[in-house]
Amino acid sequence: MLQWFEDITRGDVARVGGKNASLGEMIRHLAGEGIRVPGGFAISADAFRHFLAHNALEPLMREQLARLQAGAPLAEVGLAIRTAIGGGALPDDLAAAIREAYGTLSERSGLAAAPVAVRSSATAEDLPEASFAGQQETFLNVMGADPLLEAVRKCFASLYTDRAITYRVHHGFPHLKVALSVGVQRMVRSDIGAAGVAFTLDTETGFRNLVVIDGAWGLGENIVKGTITPDEWRVFKPLLGDATCAPILDRTIGPKHLKMVLDAHGTPTNVETTADEQTRAVLDDAQVLALARWCARIEQHYDMPMDIEWALDGETHEMFIVQARPETVRAREQASTLTTFTLVGTGAVLVHGVAVGQRIASGRVFRLESMAEAARFEDGGILVARMTDPDWVPLMKRAAAIVTDAGGRTSHAAIVSRELGIAAIVGAGNAMQELVDGTTVTVSCAEGPVGSVYAGAVPWRETKVDLSAIRETRTQIMLNVADPETAMRWWRLPTRGVGLARIEFVIEHMVKAHPMALLHPEQVDAADRAQIAALTAGYADPAEYFVDRMAAGVAVIAASQWPHPVIVRFSDFKTNEYAGLLGGRTFEPTEENPMLGFRGASRYYSDRYREGFGLECRAIRRVREQIGLRNVVVMIPFCRTLDEADLVLAELATHGLVRGLRELEVYVMAEIPSNVILAREFGARFDGFSIGSNDLTQLTLGVDRDNALLTALFDERNPAVMRSIEHLIREAHAVGCKVGICGQAPSDHPEFAEFLVRAGIDSISLNPDSVVPVLTRVAALEATL
């Protein structure tokens, strides 16, 4: 009736449940590789059935479940079964076996009475199609044989909590066919350390090359419940085996205002964290990388994406894996099918928070303080709550979308919403205050990492694309990407790289401050200086803040298309746009025509911006050399003359970015007639051109592209523009230089894309919504050539 974990494999789910089977599997096969899993033993499902038979409980359970099927209240049926189980006595032979095993476990720990975690493990949990996470009880820091026996009985009873009954009904599992095993595991003192969860894919997009780690001080319950916003790291799996890399793409330090500890009686209790704990990461980079390697190895062993729980012992400072189960939502999605949701209208934004699910839904608001108000919720409503826990699941199943004030991407509300396939916004902060009962709203999680609640029923559309029917093309089809947080949404598209990643978006949205203001905060006014200090809190140097944020944005984009090339264009703000950044007014001149002014390459070697360009170069070097994403290609915008090209290349070299060194390629935008006329000369200096069709059209035709009076004249299909492109491709190829295009024209005009293919262009970079139709047309055309 009892088995030690080292004698259990994942094939033993029917005997010891999914949780215990997984622990045994890891101890048997992975402990030898240094992956630490706390030892212990499992009380089998046969022991549970022995307990039921000893107390003659099955007839009562059948009677109560029949009442439930006939319409009796769930709460009444669940309570009756739990009371009967809780009042039962453990058979003498079972109790004696548990006492003996506990004694052995204590001896192995070198203690008279070892503290243990007592965890429920159902025989139908942790399956690839249903996680059953959080449905049964866990008891922590249990010490002594008698308290252990009591905890075992409580675990048995928890098989019939209201939420567990509802979950089995939802997934079609017959109640009496599901038994309960109990795991007794050496306690990891994460209550005085840290704990968290990790997924071996991106939980929002299904992108497979990530390990996403969340962590907080104390026990991990606050992360699961969504009580706090945890720290988060995203680590790039393909480079974890390279000892020369530290592939942490980005890190976010959550406020972590609470931590769950054990009080004097061993009861989990929340206490406020200190100011230092709120601003300090719970793991250092070395611990993050070690944990990510463990997670990747566990995924490799199981041959499927995994949902993993980890704990850091505050006494020994050792890391442990305390649970691993198959990820049950994104892993089931077909990589050959892409479903997108798009707003086609707009409205007033009422609240926003972390987007979960990439979906859109409209409905009436039902703002609930607790489950005591559940009776007034209507199917298809928008559930608004401070936070959710497993007791809320029956209600969440009936909702069109969920909005919570608390929680992060691995909170209970987020996890369950993904499993149910509905939109959710978590961590909104003020939804309970701002959203009014009975009003109609639209919840959109399809616009990037920030989800928004709009007033009214905003129109939206759902699009499904079968990617398996699309043929690969000779012409390289690439993506235009601005927002790093949306880059991973498109990993299923059959593209081969990013043709344009705009640094301006990263600076504007992730950095927010002018680079020169971060280098010289003493030169800006007091108000801007105070904002810069708040923005860069936690960084020893404001300039390091810029490098860290920019590197994180570029790294995420580069990882999304690895190992294909990702062309990162250095900043190309106009002076009026730079002036709009925090502290920017101090450093930017006023120009009559910024479009033709101090922009692009001319800034990089100028004393007005040379130091700022140095920060951009530092960020690129961090991505390529420290993180290890060598697929990053850099590109120079608006390079007017050959002399200017030489000056910029020399400036790059002073910052350690030498063309050809460490496989670095340097491209130049082809957006000025001089780039076309002198294509051979520019081509001898660079590895590739990327045609900016908007500026090239503007400067070839002398048309202000932003002037509404001249809209009819602005057309990339003008013969002068098209002949320039043909000339550029021919001359560039003559000197072995590649040519792509990153402008809007191929997305807007199908015939323009066909012209480019006939002209022999090497690559076409498109906005995501244009990839499938353009790729289909290109494939059809290439078949005729």
Side-chain angles (χ1 to χ4, degrees):
M1 291 186 289
L2 270 62
Q3 276 190 292
W4 290 95
F5 286 152
E6 55 264 33
D7 298 325
I8 296 171
T9 72
R10 57 177 156 168
D12 294 321
V13 172
R15 293 191 297 116
V16 298
K19 189 180 280 95
N20 289 333
S22 181
L23 291 170
E25 180 76 13
M26 289 189 290
I27 288 174
R28 278 176 69 103
H29 297 286
L30 299 176
E33 299 180 26
I35 297 177
R36 285 188 291 270
V37 180
F41 59 90
I43 302 166
S44 71
D46 287 339
F48 172 74
R49 297 186 184 96
H50 180 37
F51 168 80
L52 295 183
H54 179 75
N55 292 280
L57 292 173
E58 190 168 319
L60 178 143
M61 294 163 65
R62 288 187 182 278
E63 177 186 342
Q64 290 296 327
L65 292 170
R67 289 184 61 238
L68 177 66
Q69 194 168 8
L74 169 63
E76 185 179 300
V77 169
L79 178 61
I81 297 176
R82 291 194 303 274
T83 300
I85 294 175
L90 290 173
D92 290 343
D93 56 344
L94 176 57
I98 294 172
R99 287 179 183 277
E100 181 181 354
Y102 175 70
T104 301
L105 181 59
S106 296
E107 288 176 11
R108 291 181 178 181
S109 304
L111 299 169
V116 293
V118 185
R119 305 179 186 275
S120 304
S121 180
T123 57
E125 74 175 358
D126 292 354
L127 304 175
E129 65 275 10
S131 70
F132 279 75
Q135 302 306 312
Q136 285 85 40
E137 300 292 349
T138 289
F139 301 93
L140 301 175
N141 211 38
V142 176
M143 296 177 65
D146 289 339
L148 172 57
L149 295 177
E150 178 62 22
V152 169
R153 188 161 50 242
K154 289 179 179 178
C155 284
F156 285 167
S158 73
L159 186 60
Y160 285 90
T161 59
D162 295 352
R163 60 181 181 256
I165 294 171
T166 300
Y167 196 90
R168 287 193 294 273
V169 170
H170 177 67
H171 286 277
F173 287 93
H175 297 288
L176 294 175
K177 292 290 180 72
V178 178
L180 194 90
S181 171
V182 177
V184 180
Q185 187 178 30
R186 185 166 69 84
M187 179 72 186
V188 178
R189 293 303 306 272
S190 60
D191 56 304
I192 55 175
V197 297
F199 290 86
T200 61
L201 48 59
D202 181 46
T203 53
E204 294 312 307
T205 66
F207 181 62
R208 301 298 177 89
N209 280 343
L210 288 188
V211 176
V212 181
I213 299 171
D214 280 9
W217 302 113
L219 302 172
E221 188 74 6
N222 281 331
I223 296 178
V224 176
K225 284 188 173 181
T227 311
I228 55 99
T229 302
D231 297 341
E232 183 170 280
W233 297 263
R234 290 190 288 182
V235 186
F236 190 53
K237 278 192 296 192
L239 295 178
L240 279 171
D242 187 340
T244 66
C245 300
I248 300 173
L249 299 183
D250 60 6
R251 57 181 62 74
T252 304
I253 308 302
K256 311 180 295 294
H257 64 286
L258 295 173
K259 65 177 177 180
M260 186 169 285
V261 300
L262 299 175
D263 64 16
H265 305 288
T267 303
T269 305
N270 265 325
V271 299
E272 291 187 0
T273 50
T274 65
D276 174 66
E277 288 173 325
Q278 290 173 21
T279 57
R280 182 161 51 94
V282 302
L283 300 175
D284 61 32
D285 285 0
Q287 291 170 319
V288 169
L289 291 170
L291 177 57
R293 291 187 182 99
W294 284 6
C295 292
R297 180 65 186 95
I298 291 169
E299 178 188 57
Q300 182 186 43
H301 178 76
Y302 280 85
D303 195 27
M304 65 184 70
M306 299 296 288
D307 171 359
I308 295 165
E309 297 176 23
W310 61 268
L312 181 67
D313 194 301
E315 292 180 336
T316 67
H317 306 293
E318 292 180 312
M319 184 79 71
F320 291 89
I321 300 297
V322 296
Q323 187 50 243
R325 62 179 69 87
E327 195 278 336
T328 59
V329 180
R330 295 295 179 186
R332 288 181 288 167
E333 296 177 341
Q334 293 184 353
S336 62
T337 301
L338 179 67
T339 302
T340 61
F341 292 76
T342 309
L343 281 176
V344 294
T346 188
V349 177
L350 303 177
V351 299
H352 60 265
V354 178
V356 176
Q358 298 185 323
R359 291 174 172 267
I360 303 174
S362 299
R364 290 180 60 209
V365 169
F366 290 88
R367 193 177 60 192
L368 305 186
E369 288 286 352
S370 71
M371 280 294 289
E373 302 180 72
R376 65 182 184 85
F377 186 81
E378 296 178 5
D379 288 355
I382 307 298
L383 174 60
V384 180
R386 299 193 187 281
M387 54 182 279
T388 66
D389 59 35
D391 291 329
W392 288 74
V393 172
L395 212 60
M396 297 168 76
K397 286 171 48 186
R398 299 164 52 203
I402 297 166
V403 183
T404 65
D405 277 346
R409 296 203 307 159
T410 54
S411 65
H412 176 269
I415 291 171
V416 172
S417 296
R418 290 187 200 100
E419 191 163 324
L420 295 175
I422 59 177
I425 293 175
V426 298
N430 60 346
M432 291 291 285
Q433 176 183 334
E434 298 295 331
L435 301 183
V436 179
D437 256 348
T439 58
T440 297
V441 299
T442 298
V443 177
S444 174
C445 298
E447 302 166 274
V450 177
S452 300
V453 179
Y454 294 90
V458 179
W460 52 275
R461 67 171 178 266
E462 178 181 356
T463 305
K464 292 186 177 181
V465 178
D466 180 8
L467 302 176
S468 63
I470 299 175
R471 298 196 305 271
E472 187 172 329
T473 58
R474 294 190 298 274
T475 307
Q476 190 171 0
I477 303 299
M478 306 174 82
L479 274 177
N480 293 331
V481 176
D483 183 356
E485 293 300 335
T486 64
M488 290 179 184
R489 295 176 60 187
W490 310 112
W491 68 276
R492 289 184 176 86
L493 285 174
T495 51
R496 288 179 282 162
V498 170
L500 175 62
R502 299 178 178 91
I503 287 301
E504 305 92 80
F505 192 98
V506 177
I507 295 175
E508 184 177 7
H509 292 274
M510 295 183 67
V511 178
K512 305 181 189 299
H514 194 289
M516 296 298 290
L518 293 170
L519 285 161
H520 299 288
E522 74 283 354
Q523 296 185 29
V524 304
D525 61 38
D528 283 357
R529 195 158 56 246
Q531 289 187 62
I532 288 173
L535 197 64
T536 61
Y539 287 86
D541 174 11
E544 172 60 23
Y545 161 81
F546 179 95
V547 174
D548 181 69
R549 301 311 299 144
M550 178 174 154
V554 172
V556 168
I557 296 173
S560 73
Q561 290 286 314
W562 173 271
H564 300 300
V566 170
I567 302 172
V568 178
R569 188 179 71 189
F570 285 111
S571 62
D572 192 28
F573 279 131
K574 319 307 180 286
T575 51
N576 58 321
E577 295 168 332
Y578 266 119
L581 296 171
L582 183 61
R585 294 185 305 274
T586 301
F587 300 96
E588 294 300 326
T590 299
E591 296 184 302
E592 290 295 329
N593 189 350
M595 187 74 75
L596 294 179
F598 187 47
R599 62 174 287 198
S602 62
R603 299 180 67 92
Y604 304 154
Y605 56 88
S606 166
D607 289 340
R608 278 183 170 272
Y609 190 73
R610 179 182 278 117
E611 289 180 282
F613 182 62
L615 294 185
E616 295 185 32
C617 292
R618 278 176 56 189
I620 294 296
R621 286 194 66 183
R622 181 171 296 182
V623 173
R624 285 179 50 85
E625 297 171 22
Q626 181 176 318
I627 298 175
L629 291 160
R630 297 283 183 88
N631 61 325
V632 167
V633 175
V634 296
M635 182 159 67
I636 308 301
F638 224 74
C639 188
R640 294 171 168 100
T641 70
L642 297 175
D643 287 343
E644 188 165 68
D646 293 335
L647 286 169
V648 171
L649 289 169
E651 194 66 30
L652 282 172
T654 65
H655 296 292
L657 292 174
V658 179
R659 180 187 171 204
L661 181 66
R662 300 186 185 92
E663 305 169 356
L664 175 67
E665 291 188 327
V666 182
Y667 278 41
V668 65
M669 291 289 293
E671 51 194 342
I672 306 170
S674 61
N675 303 141
V676 176
I677 296 168
L678 299 175
R680 290 197 181 216
E681 290 84 350
F682 275 102
R685 288 163 167 81
F686 295 97
D687 297 287
F689 289 94
S690 184
I691 300 166
S693 58
N694 286 340
D695 269 333
L696 185 60
T697 302
Q698 174 176 246
L699 297 175
T700 299
L701 300 180
V703 175
D704 179 355
R705 72 189 199 191
D706 294 328
N707 191 327
L709 298 176
L710 304 177
T711 300
L713 292 175
F714 187 89
D715 191 339
E716 302 94 329
R717 297 167 293 179
N718 183 281
V721 179
M722 295 176 73
R723 286 188 188 179
S724 293
I725 291 173
E726 287 177 319
H727 175 81
L728 175 73
I729 293 172
R730 184 170 58 252
E731 294 292 284
H733 284 174
V735 293
C737 197
K738 292 169 283 191
V739 181
I741 187 168
C742 59
Q744 184 64 26
S747 298
D748 291 343
H749 309 299
E751 68 275 19
F752 194 81
E754 293 183 3
F755 153 73
L756 293 169
V757 173
R758 292 183 186 279
I761 201 160
D762 298 292
S763 65
I764 299 175
S765 192
L766 302 161
N767 297 330
D769 58 353
S770 303
V771 166
V772 171
V774 172
L775 201 156
T776 302
R777 286 194 294 270
V778 169
L781 175 62
E782 286 182 349
T784 67
L785 295 178

